[in-house]
Amino acid sequence: TSSASRRTWPTRSSPMEYQEPDLLLDAIEAWQSSGGEIREVLRAILFSEEFLSLKFYRAKIKDPFENVVSTVRALGAELNTQNLLGMVSNIESAGMEQFQFSDPTGESEMGFDWLHTVGLLERLKFANLAANPPGRWEARGDWDPGDFMNRWSLTSSDSVVDYFSLLLFGGDVLEAQKVLAGSTYSAGNNPENRMRYAVSCLLSLPAYQKQ
């Protein structure tokens, strides 16, 4: 008998130093008790306290894939093959293998597995290549600051920082961080570059790593 077939999942009362999150245990229990019904697993997740309670708001660290996807969606970026290949490279450099991942349980949901030095540096590198790339060949998608300016009348430092603070963080940004983003906006030589600088700064804030 292999070690995998002998494995038993821990319970909340297991005498162990490290304890799996309650929601993960609930999902495993729902899977086992229902004979593998994904509907019951989703029910356990969607009706859990962790999913519904405000005390768990932004309590999870994004994994590298989630970090990339959330950035692309927020910016409304259009992607080509070159952009996608670059993103895969960033994700894998941050420690998350995209293909031929051998563990059937999937990647870790724990923040400490992702926010190591290399992983964090790769996230910051991606944020800058997505929002303010030095050239089109390094870009991680094509987004249009002018479209944001026209649609939402973003014509000043305050309006840009306030809008993207709300979009990216639900408005939950420290005043000092807004001031910092505003100072980067002022460094730009035209309105579109100013917005790119400010957005790049906001995407680099520690709070953006949470969801």
Side-chain angles (χ1 to χ4, degrees):
T1 305
S2 68
S3 59
S5 64
R6 295 194 304 269
R7 180 178 182 179
T8 58
W9 290 103
T11 65
R12 296 180 189 179
S13 59
S14 297
M16 55 191 305
E17 182 177 333
Y18 170 71
Q19 185 66 63
E20 296 283 1
D22 289 351
L23 181 54
L24 176 58
L25 294 178
D26 288 342
I28 292 170
E29 183 179 345
W31 172 269
Q32 292 176 334
S33 63
S34 67
E37 285 288 338
I38 192 64
R39 182 192 299 260
E40 296 305 314
V41 176
L42 291 175
R43 190 187 302 277
I45 294 172
L46 298 178
F47 288 95
S48 67
E49 182 184 10
E50 291 91 335
F51 191 84
L52 298 173
S53 174
L54 286 178
K55 80 176 184 178
F56 292 102
Y57 177 65
R58 293 190 180 277
K60 180 185 180 300
I61 296 296
K62 299 174 186 175
D63 65 34
F65 181 81
E66 291 166 339
N67 180 62
V68 166
V69 171
S70 62
T71 302
V72 171
R73 291 180 62 187
L75 299 180
E78 296 183 0
L79 307 176
N80 57 34
T81 301
Q82 180 178 314
N83 301 148
L84 292 170
L85 291 174
M87 289 176 183
V88 169
S89 176
N90 290 133
I91 293 169
E92 293 194 332
S93 295
M96 189 175 196
E97 189 174 348
Q98 292 299 284
F99 305 102
Q100 300 179 343
F101 184 68
S102 57
D103 191 339
T105 61
E107 292 277 16
S108 171
E109 293 291 326
M110 302 292 100
F112 52 71
D113 285 325
W114 302 121
L115 291 186
H116 43 73
T117 302
V118 174
L120 185 55
L121 287 174
E122 283 298 324
R123 289 171 186 245
L124 297 178
K125 175 182 174 182
F126 169 77
N128 284 280
L129 292 178
N132 185 38
R136 58 176 302 199
W137 295 109
E138 295 95 342
R140 297 297 186 260
D142 182 20
W143 73 289
D144 184 6
D147 180 56
F148 283 92
M149 287 188 286
N150 294 331
R151 288 169 59 195
W152 307 106
S153 300
L154 305 180
T155 58
S156 68
S157 171
D158 287 344
S159 63
V160 169
V161 172
D162 286 344
Y163 174 82
F164 281 98
S165 294
L166 184 62
L167 178 66
L168 300 175
F169 306 97
D172 189 17
V173 181
L174 297 175
E175 193 59 36
Q177 294 172 329
K178 286 187 176 183
V179 171
L180 177 62
S183 68
T184 62
Y185 178 92
S186 302
N189 55 12
N190 64 59
E192 292 197 0
N193 280 345
R194 291 186 187 115
M195 182 178 289
R196 289 183 182 276
Y197 293 167
V199 172
S200 179
C201 177
L202 289 170
L203 289 173
S204 300
L205 294 177
Y208 188 66
Q209 306 309 324
K210 297 181 179 181
Q211 65 179 20

